[in-house]
């Protein structure tokens, strides 16, 4: 049943699943009036993330239906509240995973609101007014100004959309581990999908030596020729893995299928770090010897704060980085979900919500963003 919160008076067309694993079909619902701290966004594009699929199927047992997924949102501002500065009507903006947080805890105060204990997500969350949040598979969004970022003028809005989740997810661990300003350091990227392909682009933009580690031999050509990776290790080939021993400074592991971290840790130099950003359902295998014998570290990381998201987008503007996307129409969402479940996409589906068609050709570069 659709919610009824008093000031939720704006009627919005979107796409929702009504039950676990159900088809995503057109859905009319209500959003709140644009408050003093809000901006209203005409959604142009929304990326399809693996998280959407997990929520759709209720894999984590926390989905509230009807579910309007989508947290890789780009669009144009159509209204701003009276307390809003820094955004105006017509601005090109993005909204990622976050809808609200407590604003008071040490993490919120430190621009790490993604780690706030009370963080609420842009869909399947509970907003400050008690309403359930509905995401970007819809034509319009009302968002609090604190969770909105600017999209640089030179980035195409469809190809920029997945940066709001996939991009910032790989950007933050790279930043935290000083990879943005350490040209020549050696980065390993495990898994070549939505997250992995952006990690390669960042790595190359920041002057790193990038090695892709994958179970699929067919991805070598793509990784090297199309994405510019310097090296490729087939993780099922013991010779490859032996040759790569102690060669990397830092590894981003994007794989959500079950796997052991042991062979990956062996690729790290002494004191190297591996960051998990994929989320395997079962506990990962973490053998102690490669940790102890190399003084290595294993960490996790989840998306990023809003300040970091803006920083990431500004750097993407500077280096002209966007995602490789396949743009679909809203009536192709279910087909795309099925393909997403099989990892049959290069590298992200993006829904053309605004009906603009594909706009991946970068627009004229504006000096303001350089
Ligand atoms: Zn996501
Ligand atoms: Zn907080």
């Amino acid at each position: 049943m659709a919610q009824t919160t008093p000031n939720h008076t704006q009627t919005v067309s979107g796409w929702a699943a009504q039950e676990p694993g159900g088809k995503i079909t057109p859905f009319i619902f209500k959003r709140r009036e644009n408050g003093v701290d809000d901006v209203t966004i005409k959604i142009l594009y929304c990326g399809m993330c693996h998280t959407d699929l997990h929520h759709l199927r209720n894999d984590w047992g926390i989905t509230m239906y009807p579910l309007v997924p989508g947290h890789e949102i780009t669009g144009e501002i159509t209204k701003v509240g009276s307390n809003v500065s820094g955004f105006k009507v017509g601005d090109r903006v993005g909204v990622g995973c976050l809808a609200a947080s407590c604003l008071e805890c040490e993490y919120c105060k430190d621009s790490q609101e993604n780690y706030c204990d009370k963080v609420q997500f842009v869909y399947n969350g509970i907003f400050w007014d008690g309403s359930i949040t509905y995401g970007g598979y819809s034509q319009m969004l009302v968002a609090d100004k604190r969770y909105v970022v600017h999209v640089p003028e030179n980035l195409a809005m469809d190809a920029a959309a997945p940066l709001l989740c996939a991009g910032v997810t790989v950007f933050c661990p790279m930043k935290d581990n000083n990879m943005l300003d350490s040209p020549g350091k050696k980065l390993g990227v495990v898994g070549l999908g939505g997250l992995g392909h952006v990690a390669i682009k960042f790595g190359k933009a920041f002057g790193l030596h990038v090695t892709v580690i994958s179970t699929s031999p067919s991805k070598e050509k793509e990784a090297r020729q199309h994405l510019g990776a310097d090296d490729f290790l087939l993780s099922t080939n013991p010779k490859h893995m032996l040759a790569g021993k102690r060669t990397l400074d830092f590894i981003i592991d994007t794989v959500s299928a079950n796997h052991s971290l042991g062979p990956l840790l062996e690729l790290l130099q002494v004191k190297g770090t591996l960051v998990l950003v994929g989320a395997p359902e079962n506990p990962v295998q973490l053998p102690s010897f490669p940790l102890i014998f190399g003084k290595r570290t294993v960490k996790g990381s989840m998306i990023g704060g809003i300040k970091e998201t803006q920083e990431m987008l500004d750097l993407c503007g500077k280096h002209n980085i966007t995602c490789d996307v396949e743009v679909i129409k809203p009536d192709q969402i279910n087909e795309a979900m099925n393909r997403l479940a099989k990892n049959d996409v290069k590298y992200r589906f993006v829904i053309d919500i605004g009906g603009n068609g594909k706009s991946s050709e970068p627009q004229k570069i504006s000096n303001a963003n350089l």
Side-chain angles (χ1 to χ4, degrees), residues 284-295:
V284 292
Q285 297 150 41
L286 178 56
S288 55
F289 276 27
L291 270 187
I292 294 168
F293 279 78
K295 206 180 186 184

Side-chain angles (χ1 to χ4, degrees), residues 2 49 77 101 112 122 147 193 195 197 204 220 276 285 321:
C49 173
I77 290 190
S101 56
Q112 298 283 294
V122 86
Y147 307 95
L195 298 169
H197 95 286
K204 291 317 294 174
E220 176 162 7
L276 289 172
Q285 297 150 41
I321 297 173

Side-chain angles (χ1 to χ4, degrees), residues 14-18 23-27 334:
W15 292 269
Q18 303 288 339
K23 278 212 152 53
I24 292 182
T25 52
F27 174 59
N334 294 298

Side-chain angles (χ1 to χ4, degrees), residues 49-52 71-72 97 165-166 169 303 348:
C49 173
H50 262 275
T51 302
D52 302 352
H71 61 204
E72 296 181 341
C97 302
C165 171
T169 296
I303 49 173
R348 213 47 153 197

Side-chain angles (χ1 to χ4, degrees), residues 45 47 74 155-162 323 325 327 350 357-361:
Y45 296 97
T74 55
L155 301 183
M157 290 295 257
D158 52 357
C323 299
V325 299
V327 178
V350 170
K358 190 167 167 60
S359 77
S360 285
E361 287 307 308

Side-chain angles (χ1 to χ4, degrees), residues 175-244:
K175 186 187 167 184
D176 288 346
N177 291 276
N178 305 316
M179 287 291 129
L180 305 196
D181 43 17
S182 307
K185 286 240 178 189
K186 295 194 164 179
L187 166 74
V189 177
V190 188
L192 184 51
L195 298 169
H197 95 286
V198 196
I200 300 171
K201 292 187 184 192
F202 283 142
K204 291 317 294 174
F206 304 141
L208 304 175
H209 180 280
V210 181
T211 299
V212 173
I213 302 130
S214 167
T215 54
S216 321
S218 62
K219 294 201 168 164
E220 176 162 7
K221 197 175 163 197
E222 171 81 5
R224 285 181 187 271
Q225 293 182 7
H226 177 61
L227 294 163
D230 301 285
D231 220 334
F232 182 90
L233 298 176
L234 190 61
S235 53
T236 51
N237 182 330
K239 274 188 196 158
H240 276 205
M241 295 303 274
L242 196 62

Side-chain angles (χ1 to χ4, degrees), residues 101-109 113 116-119:
S101 56
C102 85
L103 306 178
E104 288 167 355
C105 73
E106 59 179 303
Y107 306 107
C108 283
K109 284 182 178 159
E113 50 283 272
C116 171
D117 206 22
K118 298 195 173 85
V119 70

